[in-house]
Amino acid sequence: MTSGLDDVIAAETVLSEVDGQGGHLTIRGHALRDLAGRRDFASVTHLLFDGFFTDLPNEKQLAARLGRARVEVFERVQALLPTLAALSVYDGMRAGTALMPDGDTLDDALRLIAAPAVLTPALLRLRKGLDAIAPNADAGHAADMLAMLTDTDERGLSAALDTYLVTVCDHGLNASTFAARVVASTQAGLTSAALAGLGALKGPLHGGAPGPVIAMLNAIAEAGEATEWLSRELTEGRRIMGFGHRIYRVRDPRADVLKTVVRRIPDGAASRRLAFAETVEQAALDVLRRAKPGRVLQTNVEFYTALLLEAAGFPEDAFTCVFAAGRMAGWIAHAREQQATGRLMRPQSRYIGPVPDMVA
């Protein structure tokens, strides 16, 4: 038996390949480094959707339709926002997403991509006693998401957030994408598949890691010394957040993309935070190398995700919501790819429980 389905091929895909040995991520034939910071999120969504929707327009038209989808989502959920805001921000976002029609059209897909981007800022504002800000259909997706959060349009921050959404849009057959494909294989609608992805992403072993990175950095800053703090964490059996990955045996390529983006944010506080984080990163790599010489534990995407989303103004409990805002495009593309095969995913299990007595 293969524990955790490691190395089991459950699907063939044209969407992305994760090279864990070489440290490369390919999305629809393009290296991540050739997409992140060079093509915006709507353009990469178009790339992911190509071939899966017969009515897919050109990139500019798709961006315009995504803008209108944000407006439509806001209108659908506006009256329910106070109720959703009583939940945790992730649960509220997921419940609001569940209100979208469970169809298979391009408009259904765009509403699902719009939902986390609209709901997350709205719920965060309501939780602070502020009014939700309606979307601007003419704005870029990341820029509008930030404007709905802070009522400002900081170009440097919106470019950073856009790069983040592209960086996390798809990443092989991870837990949430697999969950979405299993549901899609039943021929359920895209909302059902997306909700499966959202459920899996919430788990701390998948999408919940960036928040604890901030807690770690704050604790080290207060302690005043990184190596001692990190060593004590390992001695007491706790993980060092932002290091190690299930697939990558080298440095996560997404970490370097996001580190570069954080360095470009025109904010003195972000620059100082980055400089401190770099010292913590080096200390953590040294501590891990000494404590676990037989394991490869390199910096992963969560470490610099935490710095980027913190600089953009998102609180720690909303980091996974922003992750979902990017990954939703990948889930939908995978769901459409799985639906096209017409094959129900139905693996076998091995029974290891007690056996009843057999009657002669």
Side-chain angles (χ1 to χ4, degrees):
M1 184 184 73
T2 302
S3 178
L5 299 182
D6 286 357
D7 300 323
V8 172
I9 304 299
E12 292 186 339
T13 183
V14 300
L15 292 167
S16 64
E17 179 184 41
V18 182
D19 177 358
Q21 298 298 323
H24 304 296
L25 172 60
T26 301
I27 299 175
R28 291 305 293 256
H30 300 268
L32 174 64
R33 64 179 179 273
D34 295 327
L35 296 177
R38 300 185 180 187
R39 295 178 65 167
D40 66 18
F41 180 66
S43 171
V44 175
T45 297
H46 188 278
L47 183 68
L48 289 171
F49 283 8
D50 188 22
F52 298 120
F53 293 95
T54 57
D55 58 341
L56 187 69
N58 61 41
E59 291 181 12
K60 185 175 180 180
Q61 292 169 331
L62 185 72
R65 287 177 66 171
L66 180 56
R68 292 195 295 272
R70 292 194 301 272
V71 173
E72 183 181 344
V73 168
F74 186 80
E75 291 172 348
R76 282 176 176 267
V77 302
Q78 186 174 11
L80 293 172
L81 287 175
T83 301
L84 297 175
L87 304 171
S88 73
V89 63
Y90 194 86
D91 289 346
M93 179 274 292
R94 183 176 54 186
T97 302
L99 298 173
M100 300 303 111
D102 196 18
D104 296 307
T105 70
L106 179 60
D107 286 332
D108 293 318
L110 294 177
R111 278 190 294 266
L112 287 167
I113 291 176
V118 170
L119 285 157
T120 302
L123 295 176
L124 289 173
R125 288 183 66 84
L126 263 66
R127 287 159 64 89
K128 292 165 61 174
L130 302 172
D131 292 334
I133 298 173
N136 174 6
D138 297 325
H141 193 66
D144 200 21
M145 193 172 178
L146 279 179
M148 288 186 281
L149 178 69
T150 64
D151 200 17
T152 60
D153 182 13
E154 170 50 61
R155 187 173 182 83
L157 286 176
S158 63
L161 179 60
D162 189 87
T163 300
Y164 171 73
L165 297 177
V166 169
T167 300
V168 301
C169 71
D170 198 45
H171 197 251
L173 203 59
N174 55 80
S176 58
T177 299
F178 183 60
R181 287 191 77 125
V182 169
V183 172
S185 79
T186 71
Q187 299 296 315
L190 293 175
T191 298
S192 293
L195 291 172
L198 285 170
L201 192 70
K202 184 182 180 182
L205 296 184
H206 188 12
V213 169
I214 295 298
M216 177 183 74
L217 292 175
N218 291 341
I220 292 173
E222 185 175 343
E225 209 287 317
T227 299
E228 181 180 343
W229 190 96
L230 293 163
S231 298
R232 186 168 59 251
E233 288 293 290
L234 289 180
T235 299
E236 295 178 0
R238 290 188 287 270
R239 294 176 59 200
I240 296 179
M241 305 307 296
F243 298 87
H245 193 274
R246 181 72 170 267
I247 301 298
Y248 290 116
R249 294 298 172 260
V250 293
R251 186 179 177 89
D252 188 333
R254 300 169 299 172
D256 286 330
V257 168
L258 297 183
K259 183 177 181 178
T260 300
V261 170
V262 174
R263 184 172 284 119
R264 292 173 181 165
I265 293 175
D267 183 329
S271 297
R272 291 189 294 274
R273 185 70 151 168
L274 174 61
F276 173 67
E278 287 178 318
T279 65
V280 172
E281 178 187 20
Q282 188 56 57
L285 292 172
D286 291 342
V287 167
L288 287 166
R289 193 176 301 114
R290 291 194 300 270
K292 301 179 183 293
R295 296 181 61 188
V296 179
L297 295 168
Q298 290 287 331
T299 312
N300 65 35
V301 68
E302 282 88 8
F303 191 80
Y304 287 103
T305 288
L307 297 181
L308 191 158
L309 297 184
E310 180 185 54
F314 291 97
E316 296 167 46
D317 61 350
F319 285 1
T320 308
C321 296
V322 188
F323 191 166
R327 185 57 59 84
M328 185 66 76
W331 290 336
I332 292 168
H334 276 274
R336 291 293 292 169
E337 186 177 53
Q338 186 64 40
Q339 288 172 336
T341 71
R343 186 69 172 170
L344 176 68
M345 280 194 173
R346 179 60 171 87
Q348 297 293 317
S349 60
R350 178 183 293 129
Y351 179 67
I352 59 172
V355 179
D357 294 332
M358 303 304 293
V359 178

